[in-house]
Amino acid sequence: MTKTKVAILGAGFISDIHVESYQRFIPEAEIVAVYARNIDKAKAFAEKHHIPAYFDDVDKLLAETDCQVVDICVPNYLHAVNTIKAANAGKHIIIEKPLAVTLEEADEMIATCKANNVKLMYAEELCFAPKYERARQVVKEGAVGEVYMLKQAEKHSGPHTDWFYDINLAGGGVLMDMGCHAMGWFRWMLGNAKVKSVYATMATVLHGHRTKGEDNAVVILEFENGVTCVAEDSWAKHGGMDDRCEIYGKGGVIYADLFMGSSALTYSREGYGYAMEKADTSAGWSFTIFEEVFNQGYPHELKHFIECVREDKTPLVTGEDGRAVLEILYAAYASAGQGKKINLPFNPKVNRPIDLWLNPKQD
């Protein structure tokens, strides 16, 4: 079998997850190169995962490898520049959330990919997570009747690396990091229905010593089809990752917990190694996760994206979807800043989405 060659941009936590997914679950893909801004980190990552080439220069990687797909797992502020470079080099692109920092960047990324006839595939894993997908299929079968409300929550005690806390690099706080998952999943559940309005409240409750960004947020979306959606996102919740959804219909309800239903309840006096993502200790009671990467949907989304490249299919989640999510995040920051509901479409020009909260322009 001829394999599809992939280059990974980034050598951090999410890159590890992507590489594990490729190497364990996607035999039709081959990772041929990795890029990191620090050459020693790139080398260490390549040696760890048996990747043949490593670079600290994206232009050089694109020129010297024969990759067909560039998988972008670098910090938010580097998404646009590297997407545009890869597209101009004729490479298909898989890109981690959020699509970009600004709507203007998103528009340029989408346009450049279209001009070069390459696929821009937005890696929203909640659209592929097996438990969430099973719930969606049950809803499509009519199990809960007409859906009138969705809820999605993702919470933990804070990101792995420092750049997440720097609003100049990330564009915001927990909404940019995790709120995008909820917005993407709501649209996925509702067949990409249009959002009518957004209302949000947010605060910095735990990490004020290291960030100006919000670390706790609640966002309420009203869709044009009448469905109300509630997103809860936090970097202020201790005890490891919490990721769950609730689906309310006129004929029933579904609760799906992505982590607790995929774990073994454990008590350890002394503690042990890895328990689950973002758990800072394994002493006492803990939820010992298994097949974490699989349960979160990473192999499924990446396998789908590779299939789209190999068979020239349209991806289920695209750059346009990523842009729609970013517009919702803009409205959420503006709502929290102005203390009122924001109607869509909403396309203000800002340097960072979080500026709409930190420096609101009152009507």
Side-chain angles (χ1 to χ4, degrees):
M1 176 178 64
T2 301
K3 295 190 176 186
T4 300
K5 297 181 179 181
V6 179
I8 302 280
L9 304 191
F13 175 78
I14 195 64
S15 297
D16 271 321
I17 289 176
H18 280 222
V19 171
E20 179 183 345
S21 297
Y22 286 117
Q23 293 183 341
R24 290 186 60 199
F25 299 104
I26 314 173
E28 57 270 33
E30 176 187 5
I31 304 172
V32 297
V34 62
Y35 156 86
R37 287 168 289 170
N38 179 293
I39 193 65
D40 293 330
K41 189 173 182 180
K43 180 181 180 182
F45 190 91
E47 291 175 349
K48 174 183 176 182
H49 294 292
H50 308 290
I51 299 171
Y54 57 90
F55 300 84
D56 62 355
D57 184 315
V58 173
D59 294 319
K60 192 173 181 182
L61 179 152
L62 293 170
E64 296 184 9
T65 70
D66 57 351
C67 67
Q68 297 152 276
V69 177
V70 174
D71 187 340
I72 298 177
C73 300
V74 292
N76 300 351
Y77 75 103
L78 296 172
H79 283 194
V81 62
N82 286 310
T83 295
I84 291 166
K85 283 184 177 183
N88 284 330
K91 313 298 184 182
H92 299 290
I93 294 143
I94 297 169
I95 186 159
E96 265 295 332
K97 54 77 189 171
L99 181 68
V101 172
T102 68
L103 289 172
E104 290 78 17
E105 287 179 340
D107 289 335
E108 186 177 2
M109 292 159 68
I110 292 168
T112 304
C113 288
K114 286 184 177 179
N116 286 281
N117 196 30
V118 297
K119 300 181 190 298
L120 179 56
M121 298 171 280
Y122 181 59
E124 177 44 73
E125 73 271 11
L126 290 192
C127 299
F128 297 87
K131 188 180 292 186
Y132 278 17
E133 270 298 272
R134 177 61 178 145
R136 188 175 72 96
Q137 292 301 323
V138 169
V139 170
K140 288 177 68 175
E141 292 171 16
V144 301
E146 183 183 347
V147 173
Y148 63 86
M149 183 166 66
L150 301 172
K151 293 184 178 182
Q152 201 276 330
E154 186 169 336
K155 304 174 184 180
H156 56 60
S157 57
H160 294 280
T161 51
D162 288 338
W163 70 262
F164 284 94
Y165 297 95
D166 187 337
I167 60 175
N168 293 314
L169 305 183
V174 71
L175 269 184
M176 291 293 283
D177 178 28
M178 301 196 304
C180 50
H181 289 307
M183 311 316 168
W185 182 73
F186 293 151
R187 296 182 71 253
W188 179 243
M189 286 293 298
L190 300 175
N192 292 339
K194 290 185 177 181
V195 177
K196 182 172 67 173
S197 69
V198 178
Y199 178 77
T201 179
M202 60 189 69
T204 310
V205 301
L206 184 63
H207 298 287
H209 61 289
R210 65 185 306 189
T211 186
K212 294 180 180 178
E214 78 292 350
D215 62 11
N216 196 76
V218 178
V219 184
I220 301 172
L221 286 71
E222 293 178 325
F223 280 78
E224 289 184 355
N225 61 7
V227 178
T228 300
C229 296
V230 182
E232 299 177 10
D233 294 284
S234 185
W235 286 345
K237 179 261 178 191
H238 295 288
M241 175 72 87
D242 186 4
D243 193 317
R244 63 186 69 191
C245 71
E246 302 174 12
I247 303 167
Y248 295 87
K250 294 180 180 180
V253 64
I254 299 173
Y255 303 113
D257 192 311
L258 209 57
F259 283 79
M260 298 310 173
S262 304
S263 61
L265 185 61
T266 305
Y267 181 83
S268 172
R269 290 180 60 185
E270 303 299 327
Y272 54 101
Y274 184 85
M276 69 183 302
E277 183 178 342
K278 304 300 192 300
D280 54 3
T281 180
S282 58
W285 286 103
S286 62
F287 293 94
T288 308
I289 200 74
F290 66 93
E291 288 294 7
E292 190 171 29
V293 169
F294 183 88
N295 290 324
Q296 291 184 76
Y298 289 103
H300 313 73
E301 70 171 1
L302 295 174
K303 191 175 185 69
H304 167 69
F305 291 151
I306 294 299
E307 181 181 288
C308 288
V309 171
R310 293 174 68 85
E311 301 180 15
D312 194 23
K313 294 181 178 179
T314 300
L316 293 172
V317 191
T318 67
E320 285 83 356
D321 294 310
R323 189 203 185 280
V325 167
L326 187 57
E327 183 179 2
I328 296 168
L329 298 183
Y330 267 48
Y333 282 115
S335 174
Q338 298 181 34
K340 68 178 186 181
K341 187 184 296 184
I342 301 296
N343 295 321
L344 271 65
F346 184 68
N347 296 281
K349 292 190 183 301
V350 292
N351 293 324
R352 308 166 302 188
I354 198 172
D355 291 338
L356 295 163
W357 176 49
L358 295 176
N359 303 298
K361 295 179 181 179
Q362 301 293 338
D363 290 337

